[in-house]
Amino acid sequence: MSPPTHFSAEQLERIKADVLHKYEKEAAKPLSVVIMGQTGAGKSSLLNVLFGADLPTGDVRPVTKEPEAIHLPGKSGHSLTFWDMPGIGESVGADVDYMAMYREKLLGCDVVIWALHSDNRSTTYEASCLRRLLGGADGAALANKLTFVMTKVDILTPPSWIFALHRDSGVFAPGARLADKLAAKALHYEEVFVRPWAHALVSTTYNPGGFALGDDRLGYDDYTIRYRGYVSAEVCQNYQRRYPAEAEVFARLRDNHRVLACSALFRFNLAQLMVAVVNKLGPGATARFRRLLGEAERLADVPVDTMRGLGNFLIWDGARKLLDLSDPTLPPKL
């Protein structure tokens, strides 16, 4: 018996109610995010500034020895949990023990943020840890949970950072030369940590409505758009040229596989990281993350007084001080 081609008003109402029920059920699920990576990459600092946590941080010795959970209540009663994991690279023995713990925790979470230290020029050991982690039967599932973040980009100077001042606060942004440097380094990390898993990757983003492109690699439903494979910069650009009306969709699919440059200290690119995390989730993600997304636009804001304490040049001509940014007598508007 073939299915009916038309639905009665009562049937349509039941279908709508069923869809709404599934959406609300998904939105009410607890959400868990894991952050991991090499010791000293700034994982705890990133969680502190992103989610208002108070995890201990240290510049000399590793401070996270066991998985630490941050629980945030959602407005609808569901919970958001973020796991700060011990760093890899403390010792070979410790890493062997950690791998089983990482794998168990990662399989049970929704999203994984892997923090890559921006000033680390040797990626061999970390890439080998990733291969061990993804080498099992569940490797493809784990690979698609990963969002790679290049941390502590504030230390990549010179060239200079720009502080865009607005009244008593501002935002940090890289100058043109530094932006090129960040892009080149992020692309290098992408080649090392993302491209090797191209065969296992699926990129996802939300469906804004009206998306209906026919393509062997693309799939979509009312809520989600998926691309089977690695969305490199070239793949994204090719689709955007072919389908300019859907350029924003392909930009979001590309974000699944970009390495994001971030700074917890300068609060740089944190909103973009939040959006990338939400992009990895299925229907209901926006509802589950609404409490955090509502604050995303303020993540980049740095008060002037805070900015003055983040770095300083004392300019001296041999006889007198010409400029000391930390001088409290400087005018508040600089």
Side-chain angles (χ1 to χ4, degrees):
M1 181 177 176
S2 60
T5 56
H6 299 285
F7 295 99
S8 67
E10 183 181 351
Q11 287 173 318
L12 287 173
E13 285 303 315
R14 282 204 302 268
I15 291 170
K16 282 194 232 177
D18 183 55
V19 170
L20 181 61
H21 173 71
K22 287 178 181 177
Y23 178 85
E24 290 175 343
K25 184 178 179 182
E26 178 71 20
K29 287 181 181 177
L31 172 71
S32 62
V33 177
V34 166
I35 185 164
M36 62 177 295
Q38 203 159 12
T39 184
K43 301 182 298 298
S44 299
S45 298
L46 193 59
L47 281 180
N48 284 346
V49 71
L50 276 174
F51 308 117
D54 191 25
L55 293 168
T57 61
D59 295 327
V60 179
R61 295 178 182 273
V63 294
T64 305
K65 297 293 187 181
E66 297 290 336
E68 296 188 48
I70 306 164
H71 299 288
L72 297 177
K75 287 183 177 179
S76 303
H78 57 277
S79 63
L80 307 170
T81 302
F82 302 89
W83 290 94
D84 186 20
M85 303 293 285
I88 60 176
E90 294 178 33
S91 70
V92 174
D95 286 346
V96 171
D97 294 336
Y98 283 164
M99 279 300 146
M101 175 181 62
Y102 285 147
R103 191 172 190 82
E104 179 183 359
K105 189 65 68 181
L106 269 54
L107 284 170
C109 78
D110 296 292
V111 175
V112 183
I113 299 173
W114 189 304
L116 301 164
H117 198 301
S118 62
D119 202 33
N120 182 11
R121 299 185 184 183
S122 176
T123 58
T124 304
Y125 181 72
E126 208 162 354
S128 70
C129 289
L130 179 63
R131 284 195 297 273
R132 291 206 305 272
L133 190 65
L134 302 184
D138 298 312
L142 290 177
N144 283 295
K145 292 183 178 184
L146 286 167
T147 296
F148 289 95
V149 179
M150 191 168 69
T151 59
K152 296 188 175 182
V153 297
D154 48 271
I155 68 176
L156 296 179
T157 57
S160 63
W161 283 85
I162 297 167
F163 186 72
L165 183 67
H166 179 66
R167 297 182 180 175
D168 295 327
S169 64
V171 297
F172 280 97
R177 287 177 56 211
L178 181 57
D180 290 343
K181 184 176 181 179
L182 294 180
K185 192 171 252 308
L187 188 58
H188 168 64
Y189 279 161
E190 186 179 321
E191 292 291 320
V192 173
F193 293 100
V194 181
R195 187 180 287 274
W197 308 99
H199 62 283
L201 296 178
V202 176
S203 183
T204 62
T205 187
Y206 65 87
N207 188 347
F211 186 90
L213 298 183
D215 188 289
D216 290 342
R217 288 186 174 271
L218 285 167
Y220 58 91
D221 55 32
D222 289 342
Y223 301 106
T224 308
I225 300 168
R226 301 175 186 83
Y227 177 85
R228 291 185 297 104
Y230 165 49
V231 185
S232 65
E234 294 78 13
V235 167
C236 177
Q237 290 164 6
N238 287 338
Y239 272 105
Q240 287 177 326
R241 280 195 292 267
R242 289 166 58 192
Y243 307 109
E246 306 293 354
E248 181 57 33
V249 167
F250 291 107
R252 293 198 306 273
L253 290 171
R254 164 70 182 141
D255 285 346
N256 276 225
H257 300 150
R258 283 196 307 129
V259 175
L260 296 171
C262 293
S263 166
L265 189 67
F266 286 179
R267 305 181 73 89
F268 171 68
N269 252 3
L270 300 183
Q272 287 80 352
L273 173 56
M274 295 288 281
V275 171
V277 168
V278 172
N279 224 19
K280 291 277 186 177
L281 303 171
T286 303
R288 285 193 276 168
F289 239 65
R290 193 176 302 282
R291 176 175 182 267
L292 303 175
L293 287 176
E295 300 166 359
E297 62 185 15
R298 298 192 294 273
L299 280 173
D301 199 52
V302 180
V304 169
D305 289 343
T306 301
M307 178 272 293
R308 284 176 168 170
L310 298 182
N312 185 39
F313 283 103
L314 178 61
I315 301 176
W316 189 264
D317 69 356
R320 61 200 171 100
K321 179 176 69 176
L322 300 180
L323 177 64
D324 181 354
L325 196 58
S326 64
D327 186 345
T329 63
L330 284 175
K333 298 284 180 67
L334 302 180

